[in-house]
Amino acid sequence: MKIQPEYNNVAMTGKGWSSFKNSIKQKIIDAVPQATIKDGAKRIERWKTVDEKISKPAENRLIMGATALVTQPVIDYNNHKVDEETRRVSRNRTIAKILAGTGVGIVVRGSCYKLVNKMTDINGKGKYSKALIPKSYIGKFSKTVKFLRNYKSALSTGMAILAMCVTNFAIDAPLTVYLTNKFNAMTDPSKSKNKEGNNG
């Protein structure tokens, strides 16, 4: 790849600076090794399968939840600006919130995706198999599978967000409180001290 020099039609002042910049850019590009990735058909197919899996709303929520579970409680518990008890309770509440949100999110998003999948079946013969497909897009969806897959994911995610406006208050919040209380009781240091005292 070669960088073409820049010319100023009005004035040629600054031509030396432009040449200098272009030569630096060219040296950087030349320093980067050229390589191509060779993938067999099976490997490409595997990557397509992975892409399809992680782009689905439920699987996507699971990945986000797992990432949050690994990182956020650790951050909370290592916040040394607060006392030990506050850190313990904060960590427990964070874990409870992640578990409740991820669990409910997977169920809601997965259910919405299944519903959307049944109602966006291009080859379906049922009464509602194409109910969620705009008529003007049926031809386009039948030709481009990826476009249809993205449409399903976007539509089911939108439906799930609307559903979660209700479930966040009806299920997530009470479940978070319940789990937080359970975790607080399980990790209460005074209980472990009492057990040690009784054993002694």
Side-chain angles (χ1 to χ4, degrees):
M1 179 179 162
K2 297 289 182 185
I3 295 175
Q4 298 299 319
E6 296 174 6
Y7 294 102
N8 190 332
N9 293 330
V10 179
M12 294 303 286
T13 56
K15 184 180 176 185
W17 174 244
S18 295
S19 297
F20 176 72
K21 281 195 304 183
N22 286 341
S23 66
I24 295 295
K25 288 178 187 175
Q26 189 63 57
K27 284 181 181 178
I28 293 169
I29 290 169
D30 292 340
V32 176
Q34 294 183 1
T36 55
I37 298 170
K38 292 182 179 179
D39 271 342
K42 286 183 179 179
R43 193 171 179 184
I44 291 170
E45 200 59 41
R46 275 202 303 269
W47 280 114
K48 281 183 180 179
T49 306
V50 170
D51 175 52
E52 285 176 23
K53 285 281 183 188
I54 64 174
S55 64
K56 288 180 181 177
E59 284 80 350
N60 194 269
R61 185 68 184 88
L62 178 62
I63 292 167
M64 289 192 295
T67 306
L69 193 60
V70 170
T71 56
Q72 290 181 12
V74 176
I75 293 168
D76 281 354
Y77 197 63
N78 286 285
N79 177 16
H80 295 290
K81 292 180 181 179
V82 295
D83 59 272
E84 173 74 24
E85 179 63 14
T86 304
R87 282 189 284 145
R88 181 180 70 84
V89 173
S90 178
R91 178 202 60 196
N92 293 343
R93 186 171 58 245
T94 298
I95 293 171
K97 193 186 293 184
I98 293 167
L99 290 176
T102 303
V104 175
I106 288 170
V107 171
V108 171
R109 291 175 187 229
S111 301
C112 288
Y113 187 82
K114 283 181 180 178
L115 178 65
V116 167
N117 202 33
K118 285 184 179 179
M119 298 177 80
T120 54
D121 186 1
I122 291 290
N123 302 314
K125 304 294 181 185
K127 187 178 179 181
Y128 299 105
S129 58
K130 298 183 186 73
L132 295 177
I133 302 177
K135 289 182 180 179
S136 56
Y137 279 86
I138 289 177
K140 194 170 186 178
F141 284 150
S142 60
K143 292 176 184 175
T144 314
V145 177
K146 191 172 183 180
F147 189 37
L148 177 60
R149 191 171 69 240
N150 291 342
Y151 174 75
K152 287 179 181 182
S153 293
L155 186 59
S156 57
T157 300
M159 286 175 64
I161 288 169
L162 291 175
M164 285 187 287
C165 289
V166 177
T167 60
N168 278 349
F169 298 101
I171 302 172
D172 285 41
L175 185 57
T176 299
V177 172
Y178 173 78
L179 290 174
T180 302
N181 291 336
K182 282 283 185 187
F183 295 150
N184 285 341
M186 286 166 59
T187 59
D188 189 349
S190 62
K191 288 186 176 181
S192 59
K193 285 178 183 177
N194 289 337
K195 284 181 181 178
E196 286 174 10
N198 291 334
N199 291 334

